Amino acid sequence: MQSAYILTAIFLGLLPSALFAHSGHEQVPLSPDAESDWATRHMAEEHHISNFDPGAFFTLHDFDSSLSWSADEIRRMYGLDDESTKNVDEGKKAEVVRKTLENFDRDDDGMIERDEWLQGWRAGKRLQDFGLGPGHHGDDEYEYEIHHFEKFHDENTREEDLTHPEDIEHFRKHDEMEAAAERQEKLDSMPIVEQNIPQKFRRY
């Protein structure tokens, strides 16, 4: 079963592993002495993109393709709904959304339209680094591939080489999901036994 996931990762064109210190998937603060702004560091670490324009950044994080960022999309962009920020106080998360809107939402409608974002960017405004990390907002598969597989494995990786704690945890989740799906499939295929239906729900 794990082999299928390895082949999927290789098929997606994952690059050879880079030279990074081995670490987990925790969302940790970005280096405070980094010269780049938060958006640039987010794109480099979370998307492995080093060259982008503000329009492309906006579109990438316009998750519902509405040409505006809602408060929920700002939360997602900053990774505030990711498991790695589950211990961050909700007040702090609300502050991230509020200050981001204050910075770019010119008409105070609670949304950041594409034009507002571009105007703000041209005026020198940038997304603030709130010290909460690079903004994990992909699903489990994406986060595992970009933050672990690409760093420590490559297209030559064998199933028996996937021994890091992150590998074990990743495939444990897959096993649990498959087991749950199989249980549900069995339940769905079971015939309905009238005697098991409470009397008040039976049709006569």
Side-chain angles (χ1 to χ4, degrees), residues 11 39 65-66 94 117 154 157 161 183:
F11 177 77
S65 301
S66 63
W117 163 258
D154 60 24
T157 297
D161 296 330
R183 288 195 298 271

Side-chain angles (χ1 to χ4, degrees), residues 30-187:
L30 296 167
S31 175
D33 58 352
E35 296 181 0
S36 300
D37 62 280
W38 184 87
T40 299
R41 286 176 282 161
H42 167 78
M43 291 294 278
E45 182 163 339
E46 192 67 14
H47 300 286
H48 291 187
I49 297 174
S50 59
N51 188 19
F52 65 94
D53 60 50
F57 183 93
F58 184 91
T59 300
L60 182 62
H61 299 92
D62 180 13
F63 300 110
D64 62 2
S65 301
S66 63
L67 299 181
S68 63
W69 287 347
S70 65
D72 287 341
E73 286 173 306
I74 295 171
R75 283 179 63 100
R76 181 175 174 184
M77 175 177 64
Y78 272 103
L80 303 183
D81 295 322
D82 186 78
E83 184 179 355
S84 59
T85 59
K86 64 182 179 181
N87 293 324
V88 176
D89 182 75
E90 277 299 323
K92 179 64 175 181
K93 294 180 178 181
E95 177 189 354
V96 172
V97 174
R98 177 176 55 79
K99 288 191 174 181
T100 302
L101 287 170
E102 288 176 353
N103 200 21
F104 290 95
D105 180 18
R106 300 181 64 183
D107 58 6
D108 295 322
D109 65 349
M111 308 281 283
I112 300 176
E113 281 75 26
R114 178 183 173 87
D115 287 344
E116 291 176 320
W117 163 258
L118 294 176
Q119 289 174 19
W121 186 279
R122 286 194 290 266
K125 295 183 178 180
R126 296 293 184 267
L127 290 171
Q128 183 175 339
D129 181 359
F130 294 93
L132 301 178
H136 299 317
H137 55 64
D139 58 22
D140 287 343
E141 192 70 30
Y142 175 84
E143 294 292 343
Y144 167 73
E145 289 171 359
I146 200 167
H147 291 294
H148 183 76
F149 196 98
E150 288 189 18
K151 292 181 179 181
F152 304 107
H153 307 299
D154 60 24
E155 68 274 11
N156 299 313
T157 297
R158 300 168 301 173
E159 182 174 345
E160 54 266 32
D161 296 330
L162 296 173
T163 58
H164 296 163
E166 294 84 356
D167 300 320
I168 296 171
E169 175 64 15
H170 178 72
F171 292 117
R172 182 190 66 78
K173 288 182 179 179
H174 273 292
D175 290 342
E176 289 181 351
M177 291 172 61
E178 288 199 0
E182 290 175 0
R183 288 195 298 271
Q184 186 61 49
E185 185 177 354
K186 288 181 180 179
L187 289 174

